[in-house]
Amino acid sequence: MIVNFNVGLLGHVDSGKTTLAKALSTISSTAAFDKNPQSKERGITLDLGFSAVLLETPGSQNDQFEQLQLTFVDCPGHASLIRTIIGGAQIIDMMLLVIDAQKGIQTQTAECIVIGGILQRKLVVVINKIDLLDQQQSSVLRKLESKLRKTLLAAGFIEDIPIFHVSAQSRQGIQELLDGMKNEIHIPTRQAEKPLVMYVDHCFSIRGQGTVCTGTIVQGQVKVNDFVELPAIREQRKVKSLQMFKRPVQSAIMGDRVGVCVTQFSAKQLERGVLCQPGYLQAVFAAVILFKHIKYYKFPVKSKSKFHVSVGHDTVMARITLFRCLTNQSQFNINQEYEYIDEIEPPQTESNQNECSIFTLLEFERPVFAISNAILIASKLDLDVHSNCCRLAFWGHMQWYTSSANYATEQLTLWKVFKNKQKQGTVQRLVNAQQIIVQNLFKKDNNREPFIGKRVQLSTGEIGVIESTFGQTSKVKIMFSESLKDETIKMLRGGATLNLI
């Protein structure tokens, strides 16, 4: 039995990722090593490349499977291809962060670190091109390692990340890297019993055979003669055959890179996308995530603005709305009350990231297909690619979604999201240490009943709630969970008037 483990090669453009993939691999796919004519012409990786190597089973796991296949996902490094990098990172089990020994940490290196932190992938760092260093090689590598460890620690990775020094061009250190990777591998649980979901990254037709969708199974399994659905074009097809790196197989499970040959359809209809069990995935027109700010994004995040949102291999524009949970619950509930937020400033410190539960409604310009609890990553890809700014803004797991194209009128109108408007009144009298009567907070003809239970604040700082209306005019009774400050009570008994906001 062969078990597959997906390893992503990520890093800044021209750090030697493709050369490293070639040095590590013994098996290549039709999409490996920049075979795309445009990649050859421009001298950079433009799309995901796939290759593999078969290794002996690590000693600690030799009772579970006979051979281990490492499938290398060679991700492009150019800034303009960040959406392809995000898609590639979502199908891997381990991330090889490749760094040019001479140039160190660069802009896309940092963005790759952020992506790895979001997806919580196991990380191995590879410092490449050590053959180009001068005679002070050990000193340069020592300083670079120290800087790397500080950066990774700040990004939330563990302190003892393994770091290897290699020259992919001369193959120096390659065997040590392979051995080190074997020691770091722990095969994750493969959810073969769940419905099939496969992220498709390439699609092409073979005359007389059918259409081949190549990709990675992220959930479930597929077998020859199964029926699968292509939800983007709303069609079902029968699986005629399966191949893993040109080797025919009868089935494939979560984690496997596989080519699925189905009955004919135009490959142009599905260059990238999703293949799944029939009826499993529905079109998602809007979704809600728990907002998780990326601390390296240095711009405000504003409601009604648009971001590029990546899910799987798909990236689509979405209009966002921010709102805050008053009870600080981290699970979205459509029956709960939320406060609308106009803008979130860039995070200033690590400690203020999760002071309250903030949610984001994402309204997609076109529907996407995603599994429940999928990770959505929002970016500002229209920022200057030559700047040193992080374009990844925020992310979160999908907690709510709708498959209705008319969600705005059918569902959003029922949500309890309010804008915080300030009203100001005055304290008329003190009832007791926890109750006061307030006047002028409302006009005489206002209906006060909808405001019962709302929070209010005295100008001296104490926070209470409107307990009930009082009298026939505009007065209300305010209740405080704790007694008012002695100074506040003294002021009110002395006849001083306090403002209520």
Side-chain angles (χ1 to χ4, degrees):
M1 176 184 174
I2 299 174
V3 169
N4 188 65
F5 189 81
N6 297 305
V7 181
L9 284 76
L10 285 80
H12 196 87
V13 64
D14 202 30
S15 57
K17 297 183 295 297
T18 301
T19 306
L20 179 60
K22 193 177 293 187
L24 291 169
S25 305
T26 57
I27 307 167
S28 65
S29 73
T30 53
F33 313 139
D34 294 343
K35 290 181 180 178
N36 184 315
Q38 290 186 43
S39 292
K40 290 181 178 179
E41 182 181 334
R42 295 177 59 182
I44 59 172
T45 300
L46 296 177
D47 205 347
L48 300 176
F50 297 88
S51 56
V53 63
L54 278 173
L55 300 176
E56 292 301 316
T57 307
S60 60
Q61 303 183 49
N62 55 17
D63 57 337
Q64 301 176 42
F65 48 88
E66 296 169 4
Q67 278 188 305
L68 174 68
Q69 178 175 275
L70 300 185
T71 294
F72 298 106
V73 184
D74 180 15
C75 297
H78 197 276
S80 62
L81 301 170
I82 186 67
R83 65 187 72 192
T84 305
I85 300 170
I86 294 172
Q90 293 195 61
I91 61 174
I92 63 174
D93 303 304
M94 176 190 285
M95 180 171 123
L96 284 190
L97 182 65
V98 185
I99 296 170
D100 187 317
Q102 293 180 305
K103 298 175 182 177
I105 299 174
Q106 298 170 272
T107 305
Q108 272 62 64
T109 313
E111 287 189 332
C112 291
I113 290 172
V114 171
I115 294 168
I118 290 172
L119 299 174
Q120 296 185 330
R121 298 300 188 248
K122 195 168 186 65
L123 178 64
V124 170
V125 176
V126 181
I127 299 176
N128 192 22
K129 303 186 180 182
I130 60 171
D131 55 314
L132 301 181
L133 294 177
D134 57 21
Q135 295 172 345
Q136 296 181 327
Q137 182 184 105
S138 58
S139 174
V140 171
L141 291 175
R142 210 165 35 245
K143 289 178 182 178
L144 180 53
E145 273 201 32
S146 176
K147 185 177 181 180
L148 273 167
R149 292 197 185 281
K150 288 178 182 177
T151 302
L152 292 170
L153 201 58
F157 287 94
I158 61 173
E159 194 167 359
D160 57 343
I161 292 289
I163 299 178
F164 295 89
H165 307 151
V166 308
S167 167
Q169 193 70 49
S170 67
R171 299 190 59 85
Q172 181 183 348
I174 294 298
Q175 189 56 52
E176 291 82 352
L177 173 58
L178 279 169
D179 293 340
M181 287 167 58
K182 282 174 64 175
N183 294 332
E184 294 297 318
I185 287 171
H186 175 73
I187 304 299
T189 302
R190 303 304 194 189
Q191 298 169 327
E193 73 286 351
K194 289 195 172 184
L196 169 71
V197 177
M198 174 176 162
Y199 287 165
V200 176
D201 48 66
H202 293 90
C203 199
F204 54 91
S205 297
I206 300 177
R207 183 175 294 179
Q209 294 189 42
T211 303
V212 177
C213 300
T214 64
T216 303
I217 299 175
V218 296
Q219 180 180 290
Q221 61 181 318
V222 64
K223 299 176 181 177
V224 174
N225 295 325
D226 281 353
F227 278 89
V228 295
E229 184 175 8
L230 309 160
I233 60 176
R234 300 178 181 178
E235 292 190 19
Q236 295 184 18
R237 290 290 187 273
K238 186 177 182 179
V239 177
K240 297 177 68 177
S241 63
L242 299 171
Q243 282 194 4
M244 295 175 63
F245 289 102
K246 305 171 187 175
R247 176 172 53 88
V249 294
Q250 291 300 302
S251 65
I253 66 168
M254 176 181 174
D256 286 342
R257 165 117 187 124
V258 64
V260 180
C261 183
V262 298
T263 48
Q264 193 78 42
F265 72 93
S266 174
K268 293 181 180 179
Q269 292 180 278
L270 189 75
E271 293 180 6
R272 286 186 192 277
V274 183
L275 183 150
C276 66
Q277 178 178 303
Y280 180 60
L281 292 181
Q282 303 298 315
V284 175
F285 287 86
V288 170
I289 63 171
L290 179 66
F291 178 90
K292 296 187 179 180
H293 216 157
I294 293 172
K295 65 180 180 179
Y296 304 105
Y297 185 74
K298 301 304 181 185
F299 304 95
V301 177
K302 299 180 180 181
S303 284
K304 311 308 176 189
S305 61
K306 291 184 177 182
F307 284 82
H308 295 86
V309 178
S310 298
V311 51
H313 289 309
D314 199 7
T315 297
V316 61
M317 291 294 290
R319 182 171 174 264
I320 73 165
T321 303
L322 302 161
F323 49 96
R324 174 187 291 116
C325 178
L326 300 178
T327 58
N328 206 27
Q329 294 182 13
S330 59
Q331 189 65 39
F332 176 69
N333 183 346
I334 58 173
N335 297 314
Q336 196 158 330
E337 196 172 70
Y338 297 93
E339 179 186 1
Y340 173 87
I341 300 174
D342 184 58
E343 180 178 312
I344 297 176
E345 290 294 326
Q348 300 299 317
T349 63
E350 191 76 28
S351 60
N352 68 0
Q353 291 295 291
N354 295 305
E355 288 181 353
C356 60
S357 295
I358 296 174
F359 295 90
T360 309
L361 170 67
L362 304 163
E363 299 180 74
F364 303 113
E365 288 191 348
R366 59 171 173 79
V368 298
F369 295 90
I371 59 177
S372 59
N373 202 39
I375 291 179
L376 308 184
I377 301 175
S379 313
K380 268 288 184 185
L381 300 185
D382 47 1
L383 290 174
D384 184 1
V385 296
H386 300 295
S387 71
N388 59 356
C389 299
C390 176
R391 294 165 295 162
L392 306 172
F394 62 90
W395 67 282
H397 290 271
M398 191 165 68
Q399 293 195 3
W400 173 93
Y401 67 91
T402 177
S403 296
S404 169
N406 301 315
Y407 67 90
T409 55
E410 294 176 354
Q411 294 167 291
L412 297 191
T413 53
L414 303 177
W415 289 17
K416 301 174 183 178
V417 179
F418 66 89
K419 288 187 177 181
N420 192 11
K421 294 182 179 179
Q422 286 195 351
K423 290 177 174 286
Q424 190 166 324
T426 56
V427 178
Q428 186 202 35
R429 65 184 175 90
L430 177 72
V431 178
N432 55 49
Q434 289 181 272
Q435 285 185 325
I436 57 175
I437 303 298
V438 171
Q439 63 185 2
N440 303 326
L441 193 61
F442 303 97
K443 294 179 181 178
K444 288 185 179 180
D445 55 349
N446 281 161
N447 180 10
R448 293 166 287 168
E449 294 291 337
F451 294 90
I452 293 175
K454 300 295 184 186
R455 291 198 322 164
V456 291
Q457 184 175 5
L458 279 174
S459 53
T460 49
E462 294 96 325
I463 295 175
V465 296
I466 299 176
E467 183 184 39
S468 64
T469 60
F470 186 81
Q472 301 300 313
T473 57
S474 61
K475 299 175 185 176
V476 289
K477 184 184 290 186
I478 308 297
M479 170 66 77
F480 298 87
S481 59
E482 298 179 359
S483 295
L484 296 171
K485 299 173 188 174
D486 291 340
E487 297 84 353
T488 303
I489 294 174
K490 188 175 180 180
M491 290 170 67
L492 291 172
R493 283 177 176 167
T497 302
L498 296 180
N499 289 327
L500 189 78
I501 300 172

